[in-house]
């Protein structure tokens, strides 16, 4: 009976590769396939299944990374041109704008504005005192290497507020710096290669898709 002989020979060849423990009659073997009755780890079918799973995982990760690399989106970039405030609300917007300001040696204006935003959120009196002092030493004091451009009236008001610091003591100074960035730095940013190149790149991506 050719079929019986073939089955015996198959079992002999497979027994040379793996020693399987006895199993009760009728009990199914785990991970079996038509090519490997023992379900061993050397089964080519199992290896191919594992490889396909790994390829799918890598493909998903590549898609996630590609999506992250595409931020900010074209819509976000265009919205920044319409609204300085909208750009400042965007994490990516602030980072890209900061890179541009760094190239113009005016990064400290944005850092001062952000520090004031953080101070306004603070409610703990001791933390307010500390943060207000740090902002003064870093950006307002004439001895600070990162001194921002404030007029004498605003600077004098800050000096008086230092006796009793509050989380809103820099509001007028913050508005002055905001206005300076909006009217002076922001238009140059929109015409810079930093912004224009990024915008062109997103437009090409949209056309390709």
């Amino acid at each position: 009976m050719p079929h019986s002989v073939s089955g015996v020979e198959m079992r002999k060849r497979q027994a040379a590769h793996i020693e399987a423990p006895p199993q009760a009659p009728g009990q199914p073997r785990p991970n079996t396939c038509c090519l490997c009755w023992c379900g061993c780890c050397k089964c080519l079918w199992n290896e191919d299944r594992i490889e396909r799973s790994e390829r799918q995982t890598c493909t998903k990760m590549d898609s996630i990374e590609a999506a992250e690399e595409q931020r900010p989106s074209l819509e976000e970039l265009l919205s920044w041109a319409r609204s300085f405030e909208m750009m400042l609300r965007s994490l990516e917007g602030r980072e890209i704008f900061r890179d541009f300001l760094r190239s113009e040696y005016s990064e400290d204006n944005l850092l001062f504005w952000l520090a004031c935003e953080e101070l306004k959120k603070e409610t703990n009196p001791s933390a307010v005192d500390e943060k207000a002092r740090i902002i003064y030493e870093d950006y307002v004091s004439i001895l600070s290497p990162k001194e921002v451009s404030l007029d004498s009236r605003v600077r004098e008001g800050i000096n008086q507020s230092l006796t009793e610091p509050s989380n809103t003591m820099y509001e007028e100074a913050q508005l002055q710096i905001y206005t300076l960035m909006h009217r002076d730095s922001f238009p140059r940013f929109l015409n810079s290669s930093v912004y224009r190149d990024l915008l062109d790149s997103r437009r090409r991506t949209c056309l390709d898709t």
Side-chain angles (χ1 to χ4, degrees), residues 45-184:
W45 178 81
N46 279 335
E47 291 178 355
D48 183 60
R49 181 181 61 179
I50 294 171
E51 185 178 345
R52 286 200 307 271
S53 176
E54 289 175 345
R55 283 201 303 268
Q56 291 172 354
T57 301
C58 290
T59 301
K60 290 179 181 178
M61 291 303 296
D62 290 342
S63 298
I64 293 172
E65 291 175 358
E68 290 177 346
E69 289 175 357
Q70 290 302 311
R71 292 187 63 88
S73 66
L74 176 60
E75 291 74 15
E76 287 177 287
L77 284 169
L78 292 173
S79 72
W80 298 351
R82 295 190 298 268
S83 171
F84 179 59
E85 179 70 24
M86 192 169 293
M87 186 194 68
L88 288 183
R89 291 177 184 172
S90 164
L91 175 60
E92 291 86 2
R94 291 195 301 270
E95 287 301 316
I96 295 170
F97 186 54
R98 179 178 176 180
D99 287 341
F100 169 75
L101 293 178
R102 187 181 296 122
S103 70
E104 292 201 333
Y105 304 100
S106 56
E107 175 188 13
D108 294 330
N109 287 336
L110 179 60
L111 296 180
F112 170 74
W113 185 86
L114 291 172
C116 293
E117 284 292 288
E118 287 301 311
L119 176 62
K120 287 193 292 188
K121 299 174 185 176
E122 189 59 67
T123 56
N124 183 285
S126 59
V128 168
D129 287 353
E130 182 181 4
K131 290 183 177 182
R133 177 183 54 80
I134 291 174
I135 292 174
Y136 181 83
E137 293 175 353
D138 284 350
Y139 302 105
V140 181
S141 171
I142 58 174
L143 300 178
S144 171
K146 298 187 289 184
E147 181 185 3
V148 293
S149 299
L150 299 173
D151 62 40
S152 58
R153 181 185 60 80
V154 171
R155 193 179 298 276
E156 181 58 29
I158 293 173
N159 290 335
Q160 293 176 3
S161 298
L162 283 175
T163 56
E164 295 183 10
S166 71
N167 59 358
T168 58
M169 63 177 285
Y170 291 107
E171 271 192 337
E172 193 172 1
Q174 185 187 20
L175 177 59
Q176 195 170 99
I177 294 301
Y178 177 94
T179 303
L180 176 65
M181 292 190 295
H182 188 194
R183 294 180 179 175
D184 185 49

